[in-house]
């Protein structure tokens, strides 16, 4: 088995995931078709890395809501929209919120196996144009037979269940969210994202977005404390065959919890945004073909499953599995990127693995910057690599929680 090297990575800024309504403007990327958004990332990657697209064997892209404008194999259509050669192939995948990182991992597996030399992994999600739920799949694909065996619940309920079961207070969640906003504000002010991020232009060539637009640097702890819990009404909805509420259905798996205390708010959950990312991966032979030096290599990759009702706890076993495969301990990792789907996810992962908070999400995370579902994992990898170089450090671990009770983790090392 050969090595997989990261040659370069690019990403768009993250635009607010809203369409214009009446006199209210939409997010800055909302007028771009998601294929066009991804095409711009592909072309920026080829330009930045100075690589001919014809040398790419395959493009693997993550997209979660594969419906409407994001259906019809968005990877292949994005390649065509980018004007790349006809013989460059593409494939789309959906591992929910882990899709972007899984796409990079699959691209890496292609070159590690020796069957490909140069690949691109990444992802795209236009949440303004194709919102969550647009595929009408629900949580379980409306499979009534599966539902007899297991009733899955919305992720917000799972997040509040974790906070209740393991004693993460509203104050802890708000404090973490405030710090995410503050770290992101510093990163934006110091232009730390500039190495990977590029300005997105419309068809006329005018810049439509050149910085992440979801962050709220004026966020205060007091303001966060005044926000109402987001999932009280959802948890009280009747969903069970005998009129059980969603909260009650979740607690069937956790009878030791008397009641779910709803603690997450709009301020402690990830933002809805649009974005795209592309990562160029190569084998030793691919590096020679490209005549390029790599920036990093992939040390280990792993996925892990966990109980699907509580759903969001699997970053811990996924990270542990990746560390074992790399022959490393958690303390050996210089920087961690733990996706901030909800504040409790990184908080619990940090507690489980006894992580130094100073090494985790040092430039903020999805609470401040947003979570473009299919692209986020690849964006986090690019962010981690840039920060390793900026700080002169060696290793980073990127991990995300995933719907259905899964987690994914990837360890990269500078070379």
């Amino acid at each position: 088995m050969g090595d997989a090297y990261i040659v370069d990575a690019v990403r768009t800024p993250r635009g607010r995931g809203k369409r214009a309504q009446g006199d209210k403007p939409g997010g800055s990327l909302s007028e771009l078709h998601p294929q066009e958004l991804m095409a711009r990332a592909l072309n920026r990657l080829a330009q930045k890395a100075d690589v001919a697209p014809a040398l790419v064997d395959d493009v693997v892209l993550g997209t979660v809501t594969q419906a409407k404008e994001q259906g019809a194999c968005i990877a292949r259509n994005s390649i065509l929209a980018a004007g790349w050669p006809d013989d460059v192939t593409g494939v789309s995948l959906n591992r929910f919120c882990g899709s972007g990182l899984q796409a990079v991992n699959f691209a890496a597996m292609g070159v590690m196996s020796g069957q490909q030399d140069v690949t691109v992994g990444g992802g795209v999600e236009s949440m303004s144009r194709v919102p969550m739920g647009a595929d009408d799949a629900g949580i379980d694909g409306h499979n009534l037979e599966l539902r007899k065996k297991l009733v899955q619940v919305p992720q917000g309920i799972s997040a509040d269940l974790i906070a209740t079961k393991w004693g993460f207070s509203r104050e802890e969640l708000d404090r973490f969210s405030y710090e995410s906003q503050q770290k992101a504000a510093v990163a934006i002010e110091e232009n730390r994202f500039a190495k990977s991020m590029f300005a997105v232009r419309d068809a006329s060539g005018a810049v439509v977005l050149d910085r992440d637009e979801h962050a709220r640097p004026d966020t205060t702890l007091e303001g966060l404390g005044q926000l109402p819990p987001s999932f009280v009404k959802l948890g009280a909805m009747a969903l069970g065959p005998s009129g059980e509420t969603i909260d009650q259905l979740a607690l069937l798996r956790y009878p030791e919890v008397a009641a779910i205390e709803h603690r997450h708010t709009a301020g402690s959950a990830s933002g809805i945004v649009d974005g795209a990312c592309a990562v160029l991966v190569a084998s030793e032979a691919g590096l020679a073909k490209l005549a390029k030096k790599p920036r990093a290599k992939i040390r280990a990759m792993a996925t892990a499953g966990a109980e699907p009702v509580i759903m969001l706890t699997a970053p811990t076993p996924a990270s542990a599995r990746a560390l074992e495969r790399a022959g490393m301990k958690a303390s050996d990792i210089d920087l961690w990127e733990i996706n901030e789907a909800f504040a409790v996810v990184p908080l619990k992962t940090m507690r489980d693995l006894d992580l130094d908070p100073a090494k985790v999400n040092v430039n903020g995370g999805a609470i401040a910057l947003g979570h473009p579902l299919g692209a986020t994992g690849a964006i986090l990898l690019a962010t981690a690599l840039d920060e390793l170089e900026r700080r002169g450090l060696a290793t980073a671990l990127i991990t995300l929680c995933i719907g259905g009770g899964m987690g994914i983790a990837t360890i990269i090392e500078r070379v």
Side-chain angles (χ1 to χ4, degrees):
M1 185 71 70
D3 286 321
Y5 294 94
I6 299 169
V7 180
D8 219 333
V10 302
R11 73 165 178 93
T12 69
R14 281 161 279 200
R16 289 183 299 109
K18 292 183 179 180
R19 295 300 298 266
Q21 292 185 338
D23 58 353
K24 296 181 179 179
S28 296
L29 299 179
S30 63
E31 294 305 309
L32 275 177
H33 193 289
Q35 294 174 11
E36 296 297 327
L37 188 62
M38 190 67 227
R40 282 155 174 74
L42 292 173
N43 281 331
R44 174 56 183 161
L45 180 66
Q47 177 192 41
K48 181 171 180 264
D50 190 22
V51 166
L55 297 176
V56 175
D57 293 310
D58 200 14
V59 175
V60 186
L61 296 182
T63 301
V64 173
T65 307
Q66 296 190 21
K68 300 182 178 179
E69 293 177 340
Q70 292 182 167
C73 191
I74 192 170
R76 175 57 173 172
N77 283 319
S78 296
I79 290 166
L80 298 177
W84 283 23
D86 290 347
D87 65 352
V88 179
T89 55
V91 62
S92 308
L93 65 88
N94 177 11
R95 199 192 281 277
F96 298 131
C97 296
S99 298
L101 190 58
Q102 186 63 70
V104 175
N105 289 354
F106 278 164
M109 291 177 193
V111 304
M112 293 169 75
S113 70
Q115 298 304 302
Q116 296 169 326
D117 293 327
V118 181
T119 56
V120 171
V124 61
E125 203 84 31
S126 178
M127 300 181 77
S128 61
R129 299 174 73 97
V130 189
M132 287 186 291
D135 56 358
D136 192 29
I139 298 171
D140 54 14
H142 307 296
N143 182 349
L144 300 183
E145 292 301 315
L146 172 60
R147 207 170 290 174
K148 292 175 185 177
K149 304 172 186 175
L150 172 76
V151 178
Q152 300 176 67
V153 300
Q155 289 191 2
I157 305 300
S158 301
D160 284 340
L161 175 56
I162 293 169
T164 304
K165 179 174 171 58
W166 280 282
F168 292 96
S169 69
R170 168 69 186 265
E171 290 72 23
E172 286 178 278
L173 303 178
D174 286 350
R175 169 66 66 177
F176 181 88
S177 304
Y178 170 74
E179 291 174 352
S180 179
Q181 294 283 359
Q182 294 303 299
K183 289 185 286 188
V186 171
I188 292 169
E189 181 65 27
E190 295 184 357
N191 219 22
R192 294 185 187 179
F193 301 134
K195 192 163 190 176
S196 291
M197 191 169 64
F198 66 96
V200 175
R201 300 174 182 271
D202 63 17
S204 72
V207 172
V208 294
L209 189 62
D210 61 2
R211 61 191 285 139
D212 293 312
E213 70 175 345
H214 184 272
R216 295 179 173 86
D218 57 349
T219 297
T220 65
L221 269 174
E222 294 74 18
L224 289 171
Q226 293 171 10
L227 294 174
S230 294
F231 305 109
V232 174
K233 290 183 179 179
L234 180 63
M237 287 178 58
L239 183 66
S242 301
E244 299 94 341
T245 68
I246 293 176
D247 278 358
Q248 290 170 337
L249 291 170
L251 291 177
L252 291 175
R253 280 290 184 106
Y254 296 91
E256 71 276 15
V257 179
I260 296 175
E261 296 181 18
H262 292 286
R263 297 172 182 169
H264 284 86
T265 71
S268 53
S270 54
I272 294 173
V273 294
D274 305 332
C277 182
V279 180
L280 184 64
V281 182
S283 63
E284 292 273 6
L287 293 175
K289 186 183 296 185
L290 298 174
K292 298 292 178 184
K293 292 182 179 180
R295 295 173 61 190
K297 71 175 180 179
I298 293 178
R299 283 283 302 269
M301 303 170 278
T303 56
E307 197 282 306
V309 173
I310 212 159
M311 194 183 306
L312 308 174
T313 60
T316 293
S319 298
R321 192 172 287 178
L323 288 165
E324 182 180 4
R325 288 178 177 167
M328 303 174 74
K329 305 183 297 294
S331 58
D332 295 328
I333 299 296
D334 294 318
L335 294 175
W336 291 74
E337 287 288 342
I338 306 172
N339 189 38
E340 297 173 1
F342 301 89
V344 80
V345 175
L347 283 171
K348 186 174 190 306
T349 307
M350 290 160 64
R351 181 188 290 182
D352 291 346
L353 298 173
D354 192 24
L355 303 184
D356 179 356
K359 295 182 177 181
V360 177
N361 298 3
V362 296
N363 291 320
I367 287 171
L369 298 165
H371 177 20
L373 305 177
T376 301
I379 290 174
L380 294 184
L381 184 145
T383 299
L385 177 54
D386 289 350
E387 191 64 16
L388 287 176
E389 291 175 344
R390 194 183 76 84
R391 296 184 179 217
L393 299 174
T395 58
L397 190 151
I398 302 96
T399 185
L400 300 92
C401 62
I402 301 172
M406 297 186 286
I408 187 169
T410 301
I411 299 171
I412 63 172
E413 181 178 19
R414 289 177 60 207
V415 295

